[in-house]
Amino acid sequence: MSGSEAVTVLGISGSLRQGSYNAAALREAVRLAPQGMKIQIGDISEVPLYNEDVYAKGFPPAVERLREQVRAADALLIVTPEYNYSIPGVLKNVIDWISRPPDQPFAAKPAAVMGASAGRFGTARAQYHLRQSMVYLDLRFLNRPEVMIGNAGEHFDAAGNLIDEQTRKQIRRLLEALYEQTVKAKG
Ligand SMILES: Cc1cc2nc3c(=O)[nH]c(=O)nc-3n(C[C@H](O)[C@H](O)[C@H](O)COP(=O)(O)O)c2cc1C
């Protein structure tokens, strides 16, 4: 389903790497967004390591910006690599910052996850770890479709373009499901 209702999505890639497959998959998602959906890409590169002493003095500007973007978005799209069977520390660090009181911007937000990894299982384990953390924060992940891009190097060209039509179809289906879920959630 795609349609006339406007849905805004904040996309976050869990990799800071210049040639990141996950950042490339997120850029592809921006291009594949169904009618009515607009995906904005959040910048996590300036977020410092979480420190309760820093938090006590106020959110750093990069965190405040992301918190505001999460709050303003109708839904989230998280695109994560798998590091040692989990999500990268940089992504967990961002989640930890955004989750801190007074308000909790993730609560009740529809969300989708996808990921690309060098391994055969295409971030499956990282995605389930992410889902586990986000249960506590009450983020509402879609259960399906699952988009797990294994052997990532075979799916992207040197310029970071997705060259696999099957994966493009999967991403499109995921975004359509997210659109539908978000329209429902908005009531
Ligand atoms: C610290 C570290 C741990 C990794 N652990 C895994 C892993 O558990 N499973 C996997 O499939 N790939 C693993 N990889 C390889 C990543 O899938 C690969 O580096 C991938 O390109 C990272 O995503 P990116 O291209 O978006 O940066 C690991 C890479 C790093 C740097």
Side-chain angles (χ1 to χ4, degrees):
M1 177 178 125
S2 60
S4 52
E5 184 131 4
V7 163
T8 60
V9 176
L10 179 68
I12 293 175
S13 161
S15 174
L16 300 176
R17 197 169 73 87
Q18 186 71 31
S20 162
Y21 297 126
N22 288 278
L26 177 53
R27 289 194 300 272
E28 189 68 31
V30 171
R31 289 190 282 271
L32 293 173
Q35 194 187 337
M37 176 183 278
K38 197 166 175 14
I39 304 175
Q40 178 192 12
I41 297 180
D43 179 11
I44 66 166
S45 64
E46 302 293 325
V47 174
L49 285 177
Y50 184 80
N51 180 331
E52 193 80 10
D53 299 333
V54 175
Y55 166 61
K57 296 183 197 132
F59 290 112
V63 175
E64 193 56 87
R65 213 161 30 245
L66 278 164
R67 282 172 55 81
E68 182 47 43
Q69 287 175 325
V70 171
R71 228 180 270 124
D74 296 316
L76 295 187
L77 173 63
I78 299 180
V79 189
T80 185
E82 181 168 276
Y83 278 8
N84 300 315
Y85 285 19
S86 185
I87 60 171
V90 291
L91 179 57
K92 182 63 164 53
N93 181 58
V94 166
I95 291 168
D96 292 341
W97 265 120
I98 293 174
S99 71
R100 300 302 288 144
D103 59 328
Q104 211 283 77
F106 291 123
K109 281 278 164 200
V113 57
M114 60 184 201
S117 74
R120 276 190 305 139
F121 298 111
T123 72
R125 295 155 297 213
Q127 290 192 26
Y128 291 122
H129 246 184
L130 177 66
R131 285 172 184 274
Q132 183 184 324
S133 284
M134 297 318 256
V135 165
Y136 177 61
L137 299 175
D138 195 25
L139 194 73
R140 310 287 170 84
F141 273 121
L142 297 173
N143 287 330
R144 62 174 78 90
E146 295 180 316
V147 180
M148 297 167 174
I149 310 168
N151 303 317
E154 296 171 11
H155 298 274
F156 296 87
D157 67 16
N161 300 302
L162 184 60
I163 50 172
D164 175 34
E165 189 47 38
Q166 190 55 34
T167 304
R168 204 171 284 125
K169 265 192 207 150
Q170 288 174 0
I171 295 175
R172 204 177 283 122
R173 277 203 295 269
L174 179 69
L175 296 175
E176 282 168 0
L178 182 63
Y179 180 87
E180 196 171 333
Q181 185 77 3
T182 307
V183 168
K184 263 192 218 150
K186 280 165 70 127

